[in-house]
Amino acid sequence: MRKIRILVIVLATSFALITCTLQSVAQEHTLEFKGGVIATSTRNNSCEGKTILDTKLGLSVGGAFLWNFFDGHLRAAAEGFYTLQGEEYTMDGDDGKFKSDVCYFKVAPNIRYYTPYVPIYVGAGFYFGVATTREVYTGDLLDQSHEWSFKKYYKPIDFGGRAALGTEIGVSNVKFMMEAAYEYGLTDISNRKEREIKNQSVTVSLGISFEIAGKHYRHY
């Protein structure tokens, strides 16, 4: 018990010191809104040699709250967005396609670095998604009365890594931004034992960001 109490004290003290340090170097915060196109191509082990995986296009919309550090060069971002994605592939020797819509609400904490001389930033972190819609198509949309039975195809939870490259241009507290983000799913989203499916996607989005409380950053 004594060792546990010492460990708790050490952890609590360390957390307090880290929090105070971050608060001492933090500047004004940034808020952003963005939307764009997402291209999804699942990694489906049952499709190898049997089908041709296709890229499925969808939409992504969301925003982020960023804590700024070191004159805004380093920012910790808490992102949230809604994505319309899924899976699509063509059967060999068959004109038919298998299609699915899996819509996610995602949260994506990440760290970004804004370069000092050009209006470019790079970011890295992870995402956690919860499926809000899971529908399966075989050519035409299946009867809505049977929609519930096809939730067995996909699990509701997805998790993976996320990397981003973007630009932010503006001379005031309002800036325009463009971003390309890549997500690499680490979770098997398939509900069937004979199949393993993992997401991967590229998102290109446009948006606007503005600094709260009026402190302006310009790194270039």
Side-chain angles (χ1 to χ4, degrees):
M1 288 297 293
R2 184 171 179 273
K3 291 182 178 180
I4 294 176
R5 283 196 296 268
I6 293 174
L7 180 61
V8 170
I9 292 172
V10 170
L11 291 175
T13 303
S14 301
F15 178 78
L17 289 173
I18 292 173
T19 302
C20 291
T21 301
L22 291 178
Q23 288 178 346
S24 66
V25 298
Q27 282 89 36
E28 306 300 341
H29 308 308
T30 302
L31 196 62
E32 69 180 31
F33 299 95
K34 57 189 175 184
V37 178
I38 182 170
T40 304
S41 177
T42 56
R43 308 192 314 277
N44 191 323
N45 67 340
S46 69
C47 290
E48 296 178 2
K50 300 177 182 178
T51 61
I52 301 173
L53 281 171
D54 299 319
T55 299
K56 183 176 176 63
L57 295 179
L59 298 175
S60 176
V61 60
F65 183 83
L66 298 95
W67 290 265
N68 302 335
F69 305 96
F70 306 113
D71 289 331
H73 289 294
L74 189 67
R75 303 183 188 181
E79 293 193 48
F81 42 93
Y82 190 74
T83 61
L84 210 67
Q85 55 189 85
E87 189 181 15
E88 183 173 329
Y89 54 85
T90 304
M91 296 289 188
D92 285 344
D94 190 349
D95 293 333
K97 284 180 177 289
F98 176 89
K99 300 180 182 180
S100 66
D101 284 341
V102 187
C103 302
Y104 291 98
F105 174 75
K106 297 180 180 178
V107 293
N110 59 85
I111 297 293
R112 299 182 193 172
Y113 174 72
Y114 290 71
T115 59
Y117 303 112
V118 291
I120 292 176
Y121 66 85
V122 292
F126 64 90
Y127 74 89
F128 176 82
V130 178
T132 61
T133 302
R134 287 169 283 167
E135 294 178 345
V136 173
Y137 301 71
T138 51
D140 297 327
L141 178 64
L142 295 170
D143 190 293
Q144 293 295 317
S145 64
H146 298 293
E147 179 185 329
W148 64 270
S149 65
F150 294 99
K151 290 187 176 181
K152 69 182 180 182
Y153 281 90
Y154 301 102
K155 298 174 183 176
I157 303 298
D158 187 26
F159 174 83
R162 191 171 193 269
L165 174 67
T167 181
E168 187 181 75
I169 300 175
V171 294
S172 66
N173 64 325
V174 178
K175 295 180 174 64
F176 297 98
M177 58 179 296
M178 181 172 66
E179 181 185 87
Y182 174 69
E183 292 181 353
Y184 188 84
L186 299 174
T187 301
D188 179 12
I189 62 172
S190 174
N191 257 335
R192 289 173 289 176
K193 294 181 179 179
E194 71 276 10
R195 176 172 295 184
E196 180 181 87
I197 304 171
K198 294 182 180 180
N199 277 318
Q200 60 183 5
S201 66
V202 174
T203 305
V204 177
S205 56
L206 300 173
I208 188 170
S209 69
F210 52 94
E211 285 131 11
I212 300 172
K215 182 160 184 176
H216 302 169
Y217 301 109
R218 188 174 181 180
H219 309 308
Y220 57 96

